[in-house]
Amino acid sequence: MSDTSAPQRLPLRQVWPETQAAHYRAAGYWRGETFPGFLRVRAAAHPDAIAVVGGAVRWTYAQLWAEAERIAAGLLAQGLAPGDRVVVQLGNVPEFIAMVCALFRAQLVPVYALPAHRLTEVAHFARKAEASAYVCAEKYEGFDYRTLARELQREVPAVRHVYVVGDGAEFVSVAALDGDRAALPGDPDPQSVAFLQISGGSTGLSKLIPRTHDDYIYSFRASNDICGIDRDSVYLVALPAAHNFPMSSPGFFGALYAGARVVLSPGPGPDVAFPLIARERVTCVGLVPPLALLWADAAGKTAHDLSSLRVVQVGGAKLVPEAARRVIAGLGCTLQQVFGMAEGLVNYTRLDDPHEVVIQTQGRPISPDDEVLIVDDHGAPVPEGGTGHLLTRGPYTIRAYHNDPAANARSFTDDGWYRTGDMVLRTAEGNLVVQGRATDHINRAGEKISAEEIEDHLLAHPQVFDAAVVSIPDDFLGERSCAFVIPGEVRPRPAELKAWVRGRGLAGFKVPDQIVFVDAFGTTAVGKVSRRELRAQLRARFLAEQGA
Ligand code: OOB
């Protein structure tokens, strides 16, 4: 008898070749641990240690686990079934951590959206993941997510359930969830997909990244060793908690794995974070470069005691050597550079590396079995010390995106290498230095924006004849976005075009910072240049004119 009520969904898979998998197990990277497994063990081992601090909440490990089980049982009682995918869009609140732990406990699969995402992005994640539920806040940073939830259900009716942190209105409030603990499933297969992370989206829309229990737990367990996280550590989540960096490098999951304390900062600025550092005696935090510079500057003027800070990690975008010096001087603690990606590979400078290595490089991979290949445009390895495309494989780097054959064909070689899109060189000691990238995206203070995606939205405007979006160096953001626009018969105002992009339901960080109208895109024969070449030409011409 077939169960006609079971939804027909694409299975979630992440599979490494069997010889590799056997090696990763034998080497002790994949230990068969799972999220619910390790959380239960921690709750039993030190139930009264503080696990999560945020707002008025101070949960012990026992309380966090109890919350996770209450919500997990509640979600199953609501009719969700193991394997269902749930888009989670929450800010830096304790309920975010409780919710993802609950989803793991119920064998439901979180799909992480950032608070900045809007209808277009959230609907895309829900469709691609074939999600049946959406979890949001009533309000966060002034934005009303229940309205977004209503729009989402209109666009993607398969999202049958909405759960709200705060007042649920017509939806179910997370606080009200409850159910029979005996109905909870056992622990999942460690090789199964635990969640879907989202890619920076270098071409077109964000892709979904399936990460397994075994591979992800390895990445933050090993990160704990490299970053000096133990039971006495206090980790501050200053960046959006759903991002891979504060989640797992070593992030809040690393801290929970170690039995340490996680403190959630509702905002990334020194005004909000510094009082928390002083009060909770924070020892480690991860920042993007512009924030690190802000912090370094503010540290000299603050009355708050920051002396507990031991390690400040900086990553997500390039930290240039002069900025690295300022961060060390301003914050007076150990700097760790982090060069990672949600697809897997994470590189760190080590805490005992020589000063110049920490200043000049983005570090080296976590694992002895992270394979790094640096190749020229034709795929041939570059001579040692030369710059080329970074390709990687390893025990926590994915082999495929979910539900995206075209992206998989582009992003992975036949023998399983992931094309990172980054241009790097490797020093004689094996540290990587990021030199730029091969793909057209804008890295706006660590937030990745696909040029192609924004061009598509601009082209939908009736008075836009053509558009090309490029990155422009920016003193504060590292890079900002600039849209070159050939107007139609009537030239729209820049503010109008920005409002247009925002009105298309996109995250605010994707709205072009600058709009430059041009009559034409250059003299090269029309149709002969690729989009990439065109963007490069426009960018070069603009920078030359600015310099002149
Ligand atoms: C992190 O992850 P994503 O997925 O948002 O972005 C990955 C991309 C990299 O391919 C690279 O282009 C850029 O972000 N990136 C850096 C960098 N760290 C990331 N570029 C230069 N220098 C760095 N230090 O951004 C991410 C994930 C885990 C840990 C840290 C960052």
Side-chain angles (χ1 to χ4, degrees):
M1 267 204 323
S2 68
D3 179 4
T4 47
S5 68
Q8 291 299 309
R9 280 179 317 221
L10 274 178
L12 293 173
R13 288 156 46 88
Q14 191 58 250
V15 182
W16 284 259
E18 194 37 57
T19 47
Q20 230 104 30
H23 174 64
Y24 297 154
R25 275 189 209 97
Y29 308 143
W30 296 353
R31 295 186 182 166
E33 290 178 294
T34 66
F35 278 94
F38 93 72
L39 289 162
R40 180 187 299 104
V41 167
R42 292 302 171 278
H46 33 85
D48 300 326
I50 299 290
V52 178
V53 177
V57 164
R58 291 183 87 75
W59 283 326
T60 63
Y61 274 85
Q63 286 171 320
L64 173 62
W65 182 244
E67 269 296 280
E69 292 217 302
R70 172 184 69 79
I71 298 169
L75 291 170
L76 295 183
Q78 288 269 315
L80 288 173
D84 283 351
R85 296 120 203 207
V86 180
V87 177
V88 181
Q89 187 175 34
L90 294 171
N92 287 6
V93 292
E95 290 84 356
F96 175 71
I97 297 183
M99 178 54 69
V100 296
C101 293
L103 294 172
F104 294 145
R105 179 66 187 90
Q107 291 194 24
L108 298 164
V109 182
V111 184
Y112 300 124
L114 295 170
H117 287 135
R118 294 294 176 258
L119 179 61
T120 300
E121 288 106 355
V122 177
H124 168 69
F125 302 147
R127 270 194 212 101
K128 270 274 167 191
E130 300 170 279
S132 40
Y134 171 63
V135 181
C136 65
E138 175 193 338
K139 246 198 174 84
Y140 189 73
E141 288 180 335
F143 185 77
D144 171 8
Y145 289 90
R146 287 184 313 207
T147 301
L148 198 158
R150 290 175 197 120
E151 293 164 351
L152 175 65
Q153 285 196 307
R154 267 198 297 277
E155 274 210 15
V156 192
V159 179
R160 294 189 313 280
H161 309 269
V162 173
Y163 303 102
V164 179
V165 171
D167 177 4
E170 75 268 38
F171 306 119
V172 177
S173 156
V174 171
L177 287 170
D178 212 345
D180 179 10
R181 309 297 190 273
L184 288 169
D187 286 349
D189 175 356
Q191 283 294 293
S192 66
V193 170
F195 60 84
L196 294 168
Q197 182 57 279
I198 54 168
S199 78
S202 54
T203 38
L205 296 167
S206 284
K207 298 171 284 284
L208 298 180
I209 300 172
R211 301 288 302 257
T212 65
H213 294 267
D214 252 345
D215 94 74
Y216 207 63
I217 291 175
Y218 167 51
S219 77
F220 57 75
R221 187 180 67 231
S223 293
N224 279 349
D225 290 339
I226 294 170
C227 308
I229 298 293
D230 59 27
R231 268 193 72 171
D232 298 324
S233 301
V234 182
Y235 179 83
L236 184 74
V237 184
L239 299 171
H243 190 272
N244 201 60
F245 180 15
M247 183 175 284
S248 66
S249 304
F252 68 82
F253 277 135
L256 292 177
Y257 187 89
R261 180 176 305 184
V262 175
V263 178
L264 294 152
S265 184
D271 50 329
V272 182
F274 283 9
L276 281 173
I277 294 173
R279 192 185 82 199
E280 301 295 333
R281 306 295 296 158
V282 167
T283 62
C284 180
V285 65
L287 301 173
V288 290
L291 257 184
L293 288 172
L294 257 181
W295 281 40
D297 191 44
K301 304 166 190 159
T302 186
H304 295 289
D305 176 9
L306 308 179
S307 62
S308 57
L309 262 183
R310 282 203 288 272
V311 179
V312 170
Q313 308 177 289
V314 182
K318 172 93 178 213
L319 183 70
V320 295
E322 198 37 48
R325 288 198 183 88
R326 276 169 54 196
V327 171
I328 295 173
L331 289 166
C333 57
T334 302
L335 167 68
Q336 178 171 56
Q337 293 216 37
V338 188
F339 163 41
M341 51 211 73
E343 284 82 356
L345 182 70
V346 179
N347 303 275
Y348 296 103
T349 57
R350 303 311 199 248
L351 301 183
D352 57 357
D353 268 346
H355 186 70
E356 279 309 300
V357 168
V358 174
I359 300 266
Q360 303 283 353
T361 85
Q362 280 66 59
R364 50 196 177 278
I366 291 177
S367 177
D369 278 295
D370 278 323
E371 298 174 80
V372 163
L373 193 60
I374 304 175
V375 300
D376 65 20
D377 289 347
H378 310 288
V382 300
E384 200 54 56
T387 295
H389 302 263
L390 170 64
L391 274 58
T392 186
R393 292 191 300 208
Y396 59 97
T397 295
I398 59 163
R399 297 290 180 131
Y401 292 110
H402 176 64
N403 191 6
D404 206 334
N408 286 336
R410 263 196 321 269
S411 303
F412 299 88
T413 69
D414 290 343
D415 39 9
W417 295 90
Y418 168 57
R419 301 182 206 271
T420 66
D422 295 312
M423 305 294 292
V424 303
L425 65 76
R426 185 169 37 198
T427 66
E429 313 86 62
N431 291 299
L432 300 180
V433 181
V434 180
Q435 302 287 74
R437 60 177 170 270
T439 54
D440 278 340
H441 68 260
I442 297 101
N443 188 334
R444 190 181 188 274
E447 314 229 60
K448 319 307 186 289
I449 305 162
S450 151
E452 193 180 296
E453 182 185 358
I454 308 311
E455 288 165 3
D456 276 349
H457 287 289
L458 286 167
L459 280 168
H461 189 283
Q463 288 306 332
V464 171
F465 177 73
D466 204 352
V469 175
V470 308
S471 68
I472 301 287
D474 184 277
D475 284 345
F476 180 63
L477 297 167
E479 293 177 8
R480 65 176 187 273
S481 61
C482 177
F484 294 94
V485 172
I486 304 178
E489 268 160 41
V490 186
R491 173 194 282 210
R493 283 174 301 116
E496 202 180 305
L497 284 185
K498 291 185 188 184
W500 169 265
V501 174
R502 199 182 292 277
R504 305 270 296 175
L506 291 184
F509 65 81
K510 293 185 184 172
V511 175
D513 293 301
Q514 193 174 359
I515 294 190
V516 175
F517 290 103
V518 292
D519 295 333
F521 276 163
T523 48
T524 336
V526 182
K528 285 271 161 111
V529 285
S530 70
R531 278 320 273 185
R532 284 203 52 209
E533 186 56 30
L534 171 66
R535 291 183 193 115
Q537 285 176 8
L538 283 165
R539 183 173 189 272
R541 208 169 66 201
F542 178 80
L543 292 176
E545 282 166 12
Q546 296 281 295

